[in-house]
C-alpha cells in the first residue's frame, strides 16, 4: 500500500540557479543540503565512486522537491522540455497567487508558456512556465466560491 509521494527528484546541471528559482520564485524552504558519496549512494545508484549534492526543499504543505547535482558528471544531453517526452514532463504546484509567481518568473526571464486561465469548471486557474533546466512547471491556483 502506497502512503503518498515522498518527494520528486530533479537532476540539474546548475544547482545554484535551480536553488534560487525554487526558493525565490516558488518560495520553497531548504530542509537539507548534502554532498553524498560512499558505499550507500554508490549501491543505491549503481555507480562506483559517484558524488551527488542533494538539496531537499519543501513547500508550505510540506510537499518535497529534491534537486540532485552530480559535480563530476558532464551530461550534455538534456531533456527536450516537451509535453510529449517520455518520462517526467512537468511538476504541478498549488500556488496561492498565480499572478505573483508569473510576474516573478517573467522578471527573471523564465519563459511563460501561457497566460493564467480559469478552467471550464471555474474551480482552478492554471498556467505553465519553464523553470531552470527546461523543467515545465504547472501553476495551479484553486478558486473558492467567492472568486
Amino acid at each position: 500500500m502506497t502512503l503518498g509521494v515522498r518527494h520528486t527528484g530533479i537532476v540539474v546541471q546548475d544547482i545554484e540557479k535551480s536553488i534560487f528559482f525554487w526558493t525565490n520564485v516558488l518560495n520553497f524552504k531548504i530542509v537539507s543540503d548534502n554532498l553524498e558519496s560512499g558505499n550507500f549512494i554508490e549501491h543505491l545508484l549503481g555507480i562506483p565512486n559517484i558524488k551527488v549534492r542533494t538539496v531537499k526543499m519543501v513547500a508550505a504543505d510540506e510537499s518535497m522537491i529534491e534537486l540532485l547535482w552530480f559535480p563530476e558528471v558532464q551530461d550534455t544531453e538534456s531533456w527536450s522540455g516537451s509535453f510529449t517526452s517520455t518520462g517526467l514532463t512537468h511538476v504541478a504546484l498549488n500556488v496561492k497567487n498565480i499572478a505573483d509567481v508569473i510576474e516573478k518568473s517573467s522578471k527573471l526571464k523564465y519563459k511563460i508558456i501561457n497566460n493564467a486561465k480559469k478552467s471550464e469548471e471555474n474551480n482552478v486557474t492554471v498556467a505553465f512556465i519553464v523553470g531552470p533546466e527546461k523543467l515545465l512547471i504547472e501553476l495551479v491556483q484553486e478558486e473558492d466560491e467567492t472568486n
Side-chain angles (χ1 to χ4, degrees):
M1 161 166 54
T2 300
L3 300 176
V5 175
R6 183 176 177 93
H7 65 263
T8 300
I10 304 167
V11 175
V12 301
Q13 291 184 11
D14 187 333
I15 189 73
E16 297 305 330
K17 184 175 180 178
S18 293
I19 290 169
F20 178 86
F21 177 79
W22 286 94
T23 58
N24 289 285
V25 175
L26 299 174
N27 296 318
F28 275 65
K29 304 292 182 222
I30 296 173
V31 294
S32 70
D33 185 342
N34 298 298
L35 183 59
E36 299 183 44
S37 62
N39 290 335
F40 178 74
I41 198 69
E42 289 176 21
H43 172 79
L44 193 63
L45 301 180
I47 304 171
N49 303 313
I50 195 70
K51 293 179 184 168
V52 59
R53 181 176 173 192
T54 58
V55 180
K56 292 182 181 173
M57 48 189 76
V58 295
D61 71 350
E62 299 298 315
S63 56
M64 186 180 296
I65 294 290
E66 179 183 34
L67 302 177
L68 300 104
W69 176 62
F70 296 90
E72 297 171 355
V73 176
Q74 299 299 319
D75 181 6
T76 57
E77 291 187 36
S78 301
W79 175 66
S80 67
S82 168
F83 284 108
T84 58
S85 294
T86 300
L88 179 69
T89 59
H90 69 281
V91 174
L93 303 173
N94 290 319
V95 298
K96 187 173 184 177
N97 188 323
I98 198 167
D100 284 351
V101 176
I102 290 172
E103 182 180 346
K104 280 183 186 177
S105 299
S106 181
K107 283 181 181 176
L108 293 168
K109 307 291 187 220
Y110 290 105
K111 183 177 179 183
I112 310 303
I113 300 251
N114 53 16
N115 294 323
K117 182 175 177 80
K118 280 196 178 184
S119 66
E120 292 177 2
E121 297 83 15
N122 251 2
N123 60 341
V124 294
T125 299
V126 181
F128 272 92
I129 63 174
V130 180
E133 315 287 343
K134 299 181 185 176
L135 179 64
L136 295 168
I137 299 174
E138 180 180 6
L139 305 171
V140 181
Q141 179 180 310
E142 292 185 7
E143 304 296 335
D144 60 31
E145 294 177 12
T146 60
N147 287 352

